[in-house]
């Protein structure tokens, strides 16, 4: 068996691969530190001995072409909406602005629900099904819940309850409803999550960091981002990767994937990992600057980038940043908006949270911290199309309706006789 079970990320205690949604019991029993998140452990030697990396190059099976490195053993429980297989592209206007010819975006906006969260739920909801669950819940600022609901639909779950942040976009809540889930808007979602799990038999398809209540199986889906990049770069890993982070799994997931490529002896190095946050909500950045092992709580977080506006994060992503020799950096609202615009001018419509990774790379390039032949990958996590209110704010809507030719000429610089 190549999947060994669950391991505590703090004390290393080992458990079998069972529903464990409240973190490490051994750590929880030690009152001073509280519970810690669990992670899936594998026997890499056994996997390496019959791994055929050629298979990874074949598209069309969602995340499941990497099944040797995913926790699900029951192939019949595999659920896919065709997630992953996303393009690694050089956004023209961003490359020009930074002078970096090898700056790529991993364009996760083309996932089935237009965000990288689909990799999470493909793994997590499949595990829920194989563990016998028919009810699923999740907490969300929008993307996570919409994706959970889509995968619950694919898995034919009996019930899907999504607890939504008050500012989650109306469109995302409509998506949840159309997928057959129930969306409820709640300021304090944790207590409801806890009750649904403990008293009503719900499987939490929600992240285990920063709080160890949730599933350890979703992060396994995020690892496939690293595996795909490795294939797309022709069997190499990038020099640097920039990830927009909230809970931190957007960085820890790919990092775990890159670490596994080393454990499998497929590469002998790893990328430097950069976590990017908005200045108005930068708990990782403050914690990194102080050299802390845990992530502080940022009071009253504010940013246009709602998907990464969490007031705290978990130790796993912070540890990955330290281990990779990377950093946590913050960007201003203007820098985020500039990145949204540069990506749009390159042909990619992304939400502000997604653009934060690119804003971080632009900032590092301008500060002279990147060299021109560095291979840099920015994780672009989700589409702008799901945030119509935000797009309306950023787009210039003052164009007149039924304009005269003079007005069209004045706005566009069009010359010549058109009448
Ligand atoms: C969820 C999300 C993130 C952050 O992911 P974490 O795992 O919480 O760090 C970033 N961007 C988008 C678009 C997201 O939906
Ligand atoms: Zn423990």
């Amino acid at each position: 068996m190549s999947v060994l079970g669950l391991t505590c990320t703090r004390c290393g205690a080992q458990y079998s691969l069972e529903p464990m949604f409240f973190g490490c019991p051994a750590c929880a029993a030690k009152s001073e530190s509280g519970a810690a998140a669990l992670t899936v452990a594998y026997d890499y030697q056994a996997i390496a001995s019959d791994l055929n990396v050629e298979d990874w190059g074949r598209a069309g099976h969602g995340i499941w072409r990497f099944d040797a490195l995913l926790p699900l053993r029951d192939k019949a429980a595999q659920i896919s909406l065709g997630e992953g297989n996303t393009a690694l592209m050089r956004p023209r206007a961003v490359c020009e602005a930074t002078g970096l010819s090898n700056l790529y975006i991993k364009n996760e906006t083309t996932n089935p629900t237009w965000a990288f969260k689909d990799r999470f739920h493909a793994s997590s909801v499949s595990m829920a099904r194989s563990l016998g669950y028919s009810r699923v819940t999740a907490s969300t600022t929008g993307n996570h819940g919409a994706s959970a609901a889509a995968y619950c639909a694919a898995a034919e779950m009996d019930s899907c309850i999504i607890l939504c942040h008050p500012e989650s976009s109306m469109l995302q809540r409509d998506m949840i409803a159309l997928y057959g889930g129930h969306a409820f808007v709640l300021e304090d979602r944790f207590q409801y999550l806890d009750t649904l799990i403990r008293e009503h038999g719900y499987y939490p398809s929600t992240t285990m960091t920063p709080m160890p209540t949730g599933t350890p199986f979703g992060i396994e889906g995020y690892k496939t981002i690293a595996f795909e990049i490795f294939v797309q770069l022709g069997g190499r890993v990038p020099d640097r990767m920039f990830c927009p982070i909230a809970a931190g799994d957007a960085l820890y997931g790919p990092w775990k994937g890159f670490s596994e490529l080393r454990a499998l002896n497929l590469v002998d190095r790893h990328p430097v990992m950069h976590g990017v946050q908005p200045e108005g909500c930068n708990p990782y950045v403050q914690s990194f600057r102080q050299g802390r092992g845990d992530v502080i709580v940022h009071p009253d977080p504010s940013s246009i980038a709602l998907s990464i506006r969490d007031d705290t994060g978990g130790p796993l992503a912070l540890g990955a940043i330290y281990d990779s020799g990377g950093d946590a950096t913050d960007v201003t609202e203007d820098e985020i908006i500039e990145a949204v615009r540069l990506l749009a001018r390159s042909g990619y419509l992304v939400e502000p949270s997604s653009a934060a990774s690119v804003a971080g790379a632009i900032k590092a390039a301008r500060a002279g911290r990147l060299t021109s032949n560095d291979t840099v990958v920015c994780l672009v996590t989700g589409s702008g199309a799901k945030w119509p209110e935000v797009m309306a704010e950023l787009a210039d809507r003052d164009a007149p309706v039924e304009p005269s030719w003079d007005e069209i000429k004045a706005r566009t610089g069009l010359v010549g006789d058109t009448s």
Side-chain angles (χ1 to χ4, degrees):
M1 247 323 240
S2 54
V3 185
L4 298 175
L6 296 169
T7 303
C8 173
T9 55
R10 191 190 295 147
C11 75
Q14 292 177 12
Y15 305 96
S16 56
L17 204 69
E18 278 165 23
M20 289 184 74
F21 303 135
F22 303 99
C24 173
C27 281
K30 287 182 243 142
S31 58
E32 78 282 6
S33 45
L38 300 167
T39 188
V40 183
Y42 299 86
D43 178 347
Y44 296 110
Q45 248 179 336
I47 294 171
S49 69
D50 50 35
L51 186 68
N52 186 0
V53 175
E54 304 285 289
D55 290 345
W56 286 4
R58 286 182 205 123
H61 315 289
I63 62 168
W64 298 110
R65 63 204 157 107
F66 304 109
D67 64 353
L69 288 150
L70 294 170
L72 187 78
R73 285 293 141 258
D74 171 13
K75 273 190 195 291
Q78 285 181 359
I79 297 155
S80 180
L81 291 170
E83 64 290 331
N85 294 316
T86 60
L88 191 68
M89 304 299 290
R90 279 180 274 226
R92 182 195 52 77
V94 179
C95 291
E96 279 170 22
T98 54
L100 298 177
S101 47
N102 292 320
L103 183 147
Y104 295 88
I105 58 169
K106 181 68 172 153
N107 181 15
E108 293 291 305
T109 69
T110 60
N111 272 295
T113 74
W114 304 282
F116 80 127
K117 298 282 186 336
D118 292 340
R119 299 180 190 264
F120 183 105
H121 297 291
S123 171
S124 168
V125 176
S126 297
M127 281 301 288
R129 191 154 83 164
S130 82
L131 293 169
Y133 284 84
S134 59
R135 300 171 176 188
V136 171
T137 185
S139 168
T140 187
T141 52
N143 289 327
H144 189 89
S147 176
Y151 281 82
C152 284
E156 297 179 73
M157 287 291 172
D158 292 340
S159 172
C160 167
I161 297 183
I162 307 295
L163 312 173
C164 301
H165 187 285
E167 286 176 54
S168 56
S169 88
M170 205 54 234
L171 174 62
Q172 305 254 39
R173 287 181 243 151
D174 291 340
M175 287 170 67
I176 293 165
L178 285 164
Y179 290 134
H182 300 279
F184 297 108
V185 175
L186 289 157
E187 184 68 53
D188 182 7
R189 300 174 293 284
F190 182 75
Q191 175 207 333
Y192 286 85
L193 190 68
D194 209 60
T195 303
L196 286 168
I197 304 166
R198 291 185 197 270
E199 291 172 26
H200 300 283
Y202 276 73
Y203 170 96
S205 197
T206 206
T207 179
M208 241 201 174
T209 53
M211 49 177 193
T213 298
T215 175
F217 303 129
I219 278 184
E220 299 302 300
Y222 286 159
K223 295 186 319 193
T224 60
I225 293 169
F227 304 154
E228 287 181 17
I229 292 171
F230 163 79
V231 172
Q232 288 167 316
L233 291 176
R236 286 188 306 125
V237 297
D239 297 307
R240 295 169 187 281
M241 182 156 182
F242 288 80
C243 304
I245 51 171
D249 298 339
L251 185 147
Y252 178 71
W255 168 252
K256 191 178 182 209
F258 287 123
S259 305
E260 292 184 345
L261 293 174
R262 286 186 85 182
L264 293 165
N265 275 318
L266 293 171
V267 293
D268 58 6
R269 51 195 295 279
H270 58 72
V272 172
M273 303 297 287
H274 301 273
V276 189
Q277 297 198 298
E279 270 187 1
C281 171
N282 63 354
Y284 273 99
V285 181
Q286 293 187 47
S287 306
F288 175 78
R289 286 187 190 136
Q290 295 167 22
R292 300 174 66 108
D294 59 339
V295 181
I296 61 153
V297 174
H298 184 120
D300 300 323
S302 76
S303 174
I304 190 178
L306 178 64
S307 303
I308 52 170
R309 209 175 73 190
D310 285 13
D311 62 359
T312 191
L316 297 181
L318 195 55
I321 288 169
Y322 290 129
D323 290 348
S324 73
D327 63 16
T329 51
D330 50 12
V331 287
T332 64
E333 297 294 285
D334 283 350
E335 287 168 332
I336 291 173
I337 291 167
E338 182 199 10
V340 171
R341 294 195 193 286
L342 284 172
L343 284 164
R345 295 304 291 261
S346 308
Y348 302 98
L349 190 77
V350 310
E351 66 167 274
S353 301
S354 300
S357 60
V358 173
I362 294 172
K363 191 173 179 178
R366 286 183 180 153
R369 292 205 304 272
L370 308 180
T371 55
S372 62
N373 53 0
D374 270 354
T375 299
V376 176
V377 173
C378 299
L379 185 64
V380 165
T381 42
S383 171
K386 277 198 293 179
W387 302 90
E389 299 89 346
V390 178
M391 294 299 113
E393 245 176 74
L394 299 184
D396 175 14
R397 277 202 180 161
D398 61 359
V401 175
E402 298 294 340
S404 67
W405 273 114
D406 283 344
E407 283 175 309
I408 291 178
K409 285 178 182 173
R411 294 182 65 87
T412 62
L414 185 71
V415 289
D417 186 7
T418 44
S419 49

